[in-house]
Amino acid sequence: MRSFPVSNLTQPDAVLERLSFPVADELAARFNEAGHRLYLVGGSVRDALLGRLGTDLDFATDARPEQVRRLVTGWADAIWDTGIEFGTIGARRRGTDLEITTFRADTYDRQSRNPEVRFGDSITEDLVRRDFTVNAMAVELSTRTFVDPHDGLAALAARRLDTPATPQESFADDPLRMMRAVRFVSQLGFAPAPRVLEAIREMTDEITRITAERVQAELSKLLTGRFPRRGVELMVDTGLADHVLPEVPAMRLEIDEHHQHKDVYQHSLVVLDQAIDLEEQDNAPDLVLRLAALLHDIGKPATRRHISGGGVSFHHHEVVGAKMVRKRLRALRYPKDVIEDVAQLVYLHLRFHGYGRGEWTDSAVRRYVTDAGPLLSRLHKLVRADCTTRNRRKAAALQRTYDDLEERIARIAAEEDLARVRPDLDGNEIMRLLGLPPGPLVGKAWRFLKELRLDRGPLDHDEAVAELRRWAAEQGITPAGDDA
């Protein structure tokens, strides 16, 4: 699919000439022969017009789900019907995933979270129930007819988000659409229409009707979009963040003339931007790094203390922040590994500032690497992104200091294999030397030897055995005979 300027999206006929979907055309021919219509719809049309269509295609049809299943059987390489109760049949053909949904004319009671599914009879009826006008366009594939009853093409050209019905009706039907609006700001760089912004501000409380899992999915897509800062700012400005990520707007601390400090909220947005700049360009957006960058200072409001004579302190805000991160991300139903990774990055993000001008011992460097573990690369990026001082000389000095730390890590890693720091004696040898059965004492001895390894680096075998025996004597453990 070729990309072309959004400003060219003015003539539907010219647009249609640029669209080519071989798999979709094959499918449309099967539906047409059976007397049914097939439309490419929604985000697929939008993305095709923007030149960013992937290998997932969405369709709408007048055929009922069982008829759809019969039509794709024998043609598709794979079929799934997990969404059949909502009128959707999934299929795969030559590496392209297809979702084919019967026209919908859902109704909402505006109390529960799910619609009452009702099949419709026309594409017009189907499109009016969609979230935004840029997603309410369709192409009838057998006749190449462009269907745009809500001026979605004009909205797409203007990069404007508006709703087919009034935003109040749309958001009352499904409040998650407010989060989707914010997400599209981040993903596509679009701007909500004034009436959409007004409706979001009026209806933010409605987001509490939505399950945490659905909100989290939209938040993750927002944070991994092209312009996540815009999305976060819109969430905060409209009040959505008060329900989704209340710790972020809470960072907008009052600053008085006697106790000035950096604007924590704005600083966090800058760190988010700078962390994104440090991501590997060929890889997918790093959700863990972006969450950590946005939330690294959320412990500051709770730890702010005014210092006599002026100034402000935030002692242990990294410890408090890590706890807050765990609580918030659990509430949003993030996976356990994401929660722990983000919390650990928040906990460690300040440690570098104890490095000074290189005063750390090799032991301290080893501990930094060991505590970061597989997060070390992300921690490097977060710490560098966190250097946001306006003083250019100070910022450059901080970056040079971190360069020095990374060089020391590389040197020690090359000498000692830091990625595999473990005691010089394993559990089996500890039990043999001390005559211990498996149990807590073995673990205690193992941890002693690991701490020794971090402090002094690798020990030769005899030295490690001697240190273990010395420790055992201090613990009142009588070692077995000297059979080392």
Side-chain angles (χ1 to χ4, degrees), residues 5-21:
V6 176
S7 58
N8 289 352
L9 300 179
T10 55
Q11 300 297 325
D13 290 343
V15 169
L16 288 170
E17 291 176 3
R18 291 172 163 86
L19 305 185
S20 177
F21 313 98

Side-chain angles (χ1 to χ4, degrees), residues 348-349 351-352 360 363-373 376 379-380 383 402 405 409:
L348 293 174
H349 84 274
R351 188 173 295 185
F352 159 70
W360 275 4
S363 172
V365 175
R366 290 187 198 101
R367 289 179 185 279
Y368 188 73
V369 173
T370 302
D371 288 348
L376 184 62
L379 183 59
H380 289 334
V383 172
Y402 206 83
L405 174 58
I409 289 171

Side-chain angles (χ1 to χ4, degrees), residues 39-309:
Y39 295 81
L40 187 75
V41 293
S44 292
V45 176
R46 180 201 69 221
D47 287 346
L49 296 175
L50 291 173
R52 61 192 298 273
L53 186 65
T55 56
D56 297 328
L57 299 179
D58 294 325
F59 301 90
T61 181
D62 58 345
R64 292 316 193 235
E66 289 299 334
Q67 294 172 313
V68 172
R69 179 156 46 189
R70 287 196 296 271
L71 284 167
V72 297
T73 297
W75 174 81
D77 301 324
I79 299 171
W80 53 95
D81 60 5
T82 51
I84 195 168
E85 64 177 306
F86 299 105
T88 299
I89 297 291
R92 180 174 296 118
R93 170 77 170 178
R94 295 201 302 270
T96 298
D97 287 338
L98 319 166
E99 281 203 350
I100 309 157
T101 303
T102 301
F103 294 152
R104 297 263 293 270
D106 302 338
T107 57
Y108 296 79
D109 62 15
R110 300 189 177 179
Q111 299 297 322
S112 66
R113 293 182 289 266
N114 297 315
E116 179 184 337
V117 177
R118 183 166 65 85
F119 297 142
D121 298 308
S122 72
I123 187 63
T124 303
E125 190 178 22
D126 182 90
L127 294 178
V128 75
R129 53 168 285 277
R130 294 180 179 265
D131 53 3
F132 300 105
T133 60
V134 294
N135 296 330
M137 297 179 285
V139 176
E140 205 286 321
L141 293 167
S142 63
T143 61
R144 308 295 286 177
T145 301
F146 185 70
V147 183
D148 183 18
H150 305 288
D151 293 326
L153 192 62
L156 193 67
R159 294 190 176 274
R160 183 180 69 252
L161 279 177
D162 207 345
T163 52
T166 68
Q168 286 81 3
E169 291 177 274
S170 182
F171 299 157
D173 282 347
D174 185 359
L176 190 67
R177 289 171 175 173
M178 295 185 287
M179 279 296 296
R180 285 172 62 82
V182 177
R183 188 245 290 184
F184 284 131
V185 168
S186 170
Q187 285 186 325
L188 302 175
F190 286 9
R195 68 173 191 161
V196 169
L197 284 175
E198 182 181 356
I200 294 175
R201 291 190 177 102
E202 291 173 359
M203 303 177 68
T204 52
D205 291 352
E206 294 292 311
I207 199 68
T208 58
R209 288 168 41 199
I210 303 301
T211 61
E213 290 84 355
R214 292 181 72 203
V215 172
Q216 178 250 101
E218 292 297 328
L219 177 62
S220 295
K221 291 175 184 177
L222 181 162
L223 289 173
T224 52
R226 290 182 61 199
F227 311 103
R229 177 173 180 165
R230 297 184 196 177
V232 172
E233 288 176 326
L234 186 57
M235 277 207 322
V236 171
D237 293 344
T238 58
L240 269 177
D242 293 338
H243 299 286
V244 177
L245 273 180
E247 296 81 2
V248 172
M251 288 191 288
R252 296 181 295 184
L253 299 176
E254 291 184 10
I255 303 173
D256 62 49
E257 59 180 327
H258 301 294
H259 300 281
Q260 293 187 1
H261 57 79
K262 190 179 297 183
D263 183 309
V264 182
Y265 169 63
Q266 289 297 329
H267 163 73
S268 299
L269 295 177
V270 172
V271 174
L272 174 61
D273 283 340
Q274 295 186 167
I276 292 168
D277 289 341
L278 293 171
E279 287 179 347
E280 303 296 333
Q281 296 304 309
D282 294 334
N283 294 337
D286 189 337
L287 176 63
V288 167
L289 177 63
R290 294 184 183 199
L291 278 167
L294 178 63
L295 302 178
H296 75 286
D297 275 347
I298 63 170
K300 280 191 170 181
T303 58
R304 182 172 67 161
R305 298 292 182 270
H306 290 152
I307 300 172
S308 178

